Amino acid sequence: MADDKLGRAIAAAADVFLRYGYARTTMGDIAKAAGMSRPALYLLFPGKEQAFEAGTMFLARRHLDDIRGALHECEGLQQRLTTACVMLLVRVFDLQQSAPDARDMDDLAFPVVRAIYAMFESFFSALIAEEMPAPAVQPDEAARVLLYGARGLRDVAGSAEGYARLIETHVALVCSGLVHARPL
């Protein structure tokens, strides 16, 4: 029963933060969406920051599961990394276009967002290490360049389709570097 209440609260927090962002969301909004009182919500989360962390991490883990499922259809590292980056980053791009207040969900000023990027960075690093046992570049460094480089491309993308094409090119260049780079 307590797990059900917590699960409801986390899902409600995720939904409300996606709609209104961190600044505009109140604990009352989350409590209402979860079908509970504010005092009951405060028993689960001491404040809005903890609710934001739980909701954001919930969405990230669910998204990572979706990406893992999609990778079974991919062949080769480049296709896996392209699929993962596009699924992760174009979804965020689309969200920011449709709900500008939700930009908080990808704001690196929030510790939970940095933790989520670290989680995806580790995921990409593991994909690289699994596919290329001895890459010319360390997998964790390549994963960081891949993820944050692709993230930065959204600033010049005019559309989700354009962003996906830029990500595809970026992944191809990173994968080429993994094979052809000379260690410093």
Side-chain angles (χ1 to χ4, degrees), residues 34-173:
M36 63 181 62
S37 68
R38 280 184 59 213
L41 183 63
Y42 276 105
L43 290 173
L44 299 171
F45 302 112
K48 183 167 80 166
E49 186 174 323
Q50 291 79 14
F52 181 73
E53 289 172 1
T56 305
M57 191 57 78
F58 166 78
L59 290 172
R61 286 187 178 123
R62 191 171 69 186
H63 197 49
L64 182 56
D65 289 343
D66 292 345
I67 291 169
R68 281 187 174 120
L71 295 186
H72 294 296
E73 304 297 318
C74 299
E75 292 185 25
L77 179 63
Q78 186 171 331
Q79 188 178 20
R80 283 185 189 79
L81 291 173
T82 299
T83 298
C85 282
V86 167
M87 285 182 71
L88 171 64
L89 297 168
V90 174
R91 181 180 283 182
V92 171
F93 180 88
D94 284 338
L95 172 66
Q96 291 180 351
Q97 299 302 306
S98 64
D101 288 331
R103 290 184 193 275
D104 297 335
M105 304 297 280
D106 192 49
D107 185 342
L108 292 170
F110 289 97
V112 68
V113 175
R114 289 193 306 272
I116 289 166
Y117 271 87
M119 178 178 72
F120 278 100
E121 193 178 312
S122 293
F123 175 69
F124 291 154
S125 180
L127 285 176
I128 292 167
E130 178 181 307
E131 189 84 17
M132 300 186 78
V137 178
Q138 292 298 315
D140 59 333
E141 291 175 1
R144 187 170 298 124
V145 167
L146 174 70
L147 182 59
Y148 289 102
R151 181 180 189 268
L153 291 170
R154 80 168 146 226
D155 294 336
V156 296
S159 66
E161 296 80 21
Y163 187 29
R165 283 192 306 276
L166 289 172
I167 289 171
E168 188 174 325
T169 300
H170 179 66
V171 171
L173 292 170

